[in-house]
Amino acid sequence: MSGHVVTGEIMEYSILKGEEFGESFLPNIMAIDRACYADEYVGSLERMAARYRQNPRTFVCVMDREQDQAAGYINFFPVKPALWEEIVEEGMKIRDDDIMPEELAEYSASELNYLFIISVAVAPEYRDQQAVVRMLTDGFIDYLNQLQAEGFQIGGISGTTVSEDGQKFLSRRMFSLYREIEGGNKVYLCEGMYLEKLLKKDLYFKTYRNDSYLFLPYADNEKNTRINRLLEEREERNARAPKLAGCLLEALDGCLKYEYDSDIVGELERVYLGEFYLMHTLDETYVGEDEALVGREKKPYIAGEEKVYLSLLAHHPTHMYILMLLVPDSRYSSSQLEDQLCQGCLEIREEGWKDEKGFYRYRNVSEYLREEYGLLACGRGKNFICLSKKPEDDREFLNILSAETYNSMHQDFHIRYQELLEQAKNSKAIYDYYEAYMTEEVVAFLLYDYDEMEPEKRMELTATYDFPEYGAE
């Protein structure tokens, strides 16, 4: 066991493994479950004990030494092929406390081991202690590496989430959002190169907040009648826009009219296209490209999804258009999303775009605009990012300014050259409440009061800087 000291309030934590405690310890686990989960997801002590007796090497707990109590835990176990197939690929009902001991497998030295995480929980009084979450993560990964060192090679790890906290925990640890089952519960999967990255503790944790604005240019010709129908619906569509998106669109139009006095401004039309789910991925988008998974159907690595609001600025007389994608308060890597824009990998879906097994069906945003509105992509996209602060690692800010992913699957080096270093230090701000850094690809707008502002206020303020629909070519 090992102890850590948290800076400030002194607390010591240690790791306790399943084989180090007996069945009598399990009520401590149940107490955390009752404090964390809805009643329908709290299992029975009897079934937990039955699975524990089948294989005690299935827990990693963080212990508060001072209070002599469990602060959090992960419960996982190797499963037989039939249960793995049901959980990961086929079943539409959540498998949880109904898993019987006979469905568990023994750790095998002759075959790959496939693990299912049945539960991850941190007691409410410890959720603001980052040391607990870090230690739980490190303890779990250390245990996985210990199993591998003993000859029990791991082929994959899956988990089913019933809460947003569970989704955050798995997505930040290299688990891909694999599919959705009944009740809106989501199946996550970690395997191949992503599992290797997890075992190396090569993980990315975001250290700042931000709103992302992505801009893409499009064109059409006089034969395109679909865009006419869209523009005819402009007032009705804009009236249906959610409050946040509507606030931004009104602010953008207000800034245009205030700053520019020209006939062209009068010819511009802005129309709300809709609310979608945006797929966040990594620079290795398709899981099937991993050599360890040859023969498998290619499926996208989905780091997660977020709501994205699409709107179009149209100058119909010249058949030129700019698409804006707004991702407010994004939970995911800014540089990765920028990289997706550069690579043409912006994938969206509406609610219900999935097959009978719950696998999501995405559409590339440019394909969507072409098929729905007859618009053709015609240039490079640009990025406007409103940040709460610079990332803790200076290298990440350089990657943000260059629109290259910071947490790459392929390389352990980062971009760095003199001109970029100067751009990262030279704020272009003319007022005292923000900083602004600019490159050919990106405007990074660092808003000092980001954390204190309501989202609508951030939208209104940001509109004064991105109203020209920055930089789309």
Side-chain angles (χ1 to χ4, degrees):
M1 295 190 294
S2 59
H4 282 190
V5 177
V6 179
T7 302
E9 183 181 359
I10 298 176
M11 292 183 180
E12 287 193 7
Y13 302 107
S14 62
I15 290 293
L16 184 64
K17 304 171 186 176
E19 62 268 33
E20 295 174 340
F21 60 74
E23 189 175 325
S24 62
F25 183 82
L26 295 179
N28 297 287
I29 302 296
M30 291 299 300
I32 295 177
D33 279 1
R34 293 190 187 96
C36 294
Y37 291 114
D39 290 344
E40 62 184 302
Y41 296 117
V42 177
S44 72
L45 180 60
E46 292 76 13
R47 288 184 176 180
M48 180 186 288
R51 290 190 295 268
Y52 178 80
R53 289 192 294 269
Q54 179 74 14
N55 189 344
R57 300 190 68 182
T58 53
F59 283 91
V60 169
C61 299
V62 175
M63 298 296 297
D64 180 341
R65 286 181 173 181
E66 182 180 337
Q67 299 297 324
D68 191 26
Q69 65 183 16
Y73 77 92
I74 297 180
N75 183 197
F76 58 95
F77 37 72
V79 298
K80 292 179 178 178
L83 181 55
W84 177 265
E85 184 72 10
E86 179 183 353
I87 290 172
V88 175
E89 301 286 352
E90 297 292 334
M92 295 303 294
K93 295 184 180 297
I94 189 170
R95 294 301 310 273
D96 191 61
D97 193 50
D98 62 331
I99 295 175
M100 295 291 104
E102 55 268 24
E103 295 181 281
L104 275 59
E106 297 294 331
Y107 289 112
S108 173
S110 59
E111 297 179 344
L112 291 175
N113 297 272
Y114 290 88
L115 310 183
F116 175 61
I117 299 176
I118 191 172
S119 182
V120 179
V122 175
E125 62 266 35
Y126 293 99
R127 287 181 184 170
D128 62 348
Q129 296 289 340
Q130 287 301 311
V132 173
V133 178
R134 287 196 302 268
M135 194 169 202
L136 189 59
T137 299
D138 287 345
F140 178 57
I141 297 173
D142 290 343
Y143 199 87
L144 297 177
N145 282 312
Q146 178 186 334
L147 289 171
Q148 296 225 125
E150 294 175 19
F152 304 131
Q153 297 301 303
I154 299 168
I157 310 172
S158 65
T160 305
T161 63
V162 298
S163 68
E164 188 171 338
D165 285 342
Q167 294 172 29
K168 290 177 182 178
F169 185 88
L170 293 182
S171 67
R172 291 171 180 173
R173 288 154 182 84
M174 302 310 301
F175 282 73
S176 171
L177 171 55
Y178 198 61
R179 65 189 184 104
E180 182 180 318
I181 59 176
E182 289 183 5
N185 299 318
K186 295 177 172 60
V187 177
Y188 281 77
L189 181 62
C190 182
E191 58 183 347
M193 66 176 68
Y194 308 99
L195 177 57
E196 292 176 9
K197 206 171 177 72
L198 173 68
L199 293 174
K200 293 176 183 177
K201 298 184 181 179
D202 186 7
L203 306 176
Y204 170 77
F205 295 98
K206 192 171 182 178
T207 60
Y208 58 94
R209 296 172 61 193
N210 76 278
D211 302 318
S212 286
Y213 303 79
L214 311 178
F215 301 97
L216 280 166
Y218 293 85
D220 70 348
N221 57 52
E222 64 275 3
K223 295 181 180 180
N224 179 25
T225 58
R226 282 172 286 179
I227 194 67
N228 297 333
R229 291 195 294 270
L230 173 67
L231 296 177
E232 288 170 1
E233 301 170 354
R234 181 172 64 90
E235 291 187 5
E236 179 183 351
R237 282 176 168 270
N238 291 351
R240 295 201 307 263
K243 180 180 179 182
L244 189 62
C247 173
L248 175 62
L249 300 187
E250 289 180 10
L252 288 169
D253 282 341
C255 290
L256 272 175
K257 293 175 182 177
Y258 180 80
E259 295 289 346
Y260 293 112
D261 182 17
S262 70
D263 294 337
I264 291 180
V265 170
E267 296 170 343
L268 292 174
E269 298 177 273
R270 195 184 306 275
V271 57
Y272 177 69
L273 299 184
E275 176 182 316
F276 300 83
Y277 290 99
L278 174 68
M279 181 184 81
H280 290 269
T281 185
L282 296 177
D283 55 346
E284 184 73 41
T285 305
Y286 283 94
V287 175
E289 294 174 3
D290 188 338
E291 292 181 2
L293 306 171
V294 171
R296 286 268 301 278
E297 178 187 352
K298 285 186 176 182
K299 289 186 171 66
Y301 178 93
I302 307 173
E305 294 184 317
E306 288 185 304
K307 286 186 178 180
V308 59
Y309 303 97
L310 271 60
S311 62
L312 192 72
L313 182 65
H315 189 243
H316 199 37
T318 58
H319 299 281
M320 298 300 298
Y321 311 85
I322 296 174
L323 175 72
M324 180 178 70
L325 299 90
L326 164 64
V327 186
D329 217 7
S330 176
R331 298 194 307 268
Y332 298 92
S333 166
S334 298
S335 64
Q336 176 56 51
L337 185 55
E338 292 173 330
D339 190 70
Q340 288 179 228
L341 175 66
C342 293
Q343 300 301 322
C345 188
L346 294 177
E347 305 288 325
I348 59 173
R349 71 173 184 90
E350 289 184 348
E351 191 74 45
W353 288 6
K354 56 187 176 183
D355 67 15
E356 68 279 1
K357 294 299 182 183
F359 291 102
Y360 294 139
R361 294 295 180 246
Y362 294 95
R363 296 174 70 178
N364 181 274
V365 70
S366 289
E367 293 177 2
Y368 174 80
L369 289 185
R370 184 180 68 247
E371 293 167 4
E372 297 293 328
Y373 306 118
L375 301 181
L376 304 176
C378 64
R380 296 163 56 192
K382 296 297 177 71
N383 307 269
F384 186 102
I385 303 175
C386 180
L387 296 151
S388 63
K389 61 180 180 179
K390 289 184 179 180
E392 289 181 2
D393 187 341
D394 291 339
R395 296 175 301 174
E396 183 174 0
F397 190 57
L398 295 178
N399 278 73
I400 288 174
L401 290 180
S402 57
E404 290 202 9
T405 185
Y406 168 73
N407 49 320
S408 173
M409 292 296 297
H410 301 290
Q411 60 192 43
D412 58 3
F413 52 87
H414 299 88
I415 192 166
R416 183 183 180 89
Y417 57 92
Q418 190 58 41
E419 181 182 355
L420 183 62
L421 290 171
E422 293 173 359
Q423 290 170 327
K425 295 177 181 178
N426 185 18
S427 171
K428 302 292 186 180
I430 57 175
Y431 296 108
D432 60 2
Y433 60 89
Y434 72 98
E435 297 171 17
Y437 302 90
M438 302 181 185
T439 66
E440 184 179 353
E441 306 292 341
V442 180
V443 168
F445 179 72
L446 197 158
L447 184 60
Y448 293 151
D449 292 335
Y450 183 106
D451 292 330
E452 288 72 38
M453 284 188 178
E454 293 295 324
E456 291 80 7
K457 182 62 177 178
R458 290 203 310 272
M459 300 298 113
E460 292 176 1
L461 187 58
T462 304
T464 63
Y465 290 89
D466 65 6
F467 70 87
E469 260 64 6
Y470 157 71
E473 296 177 351

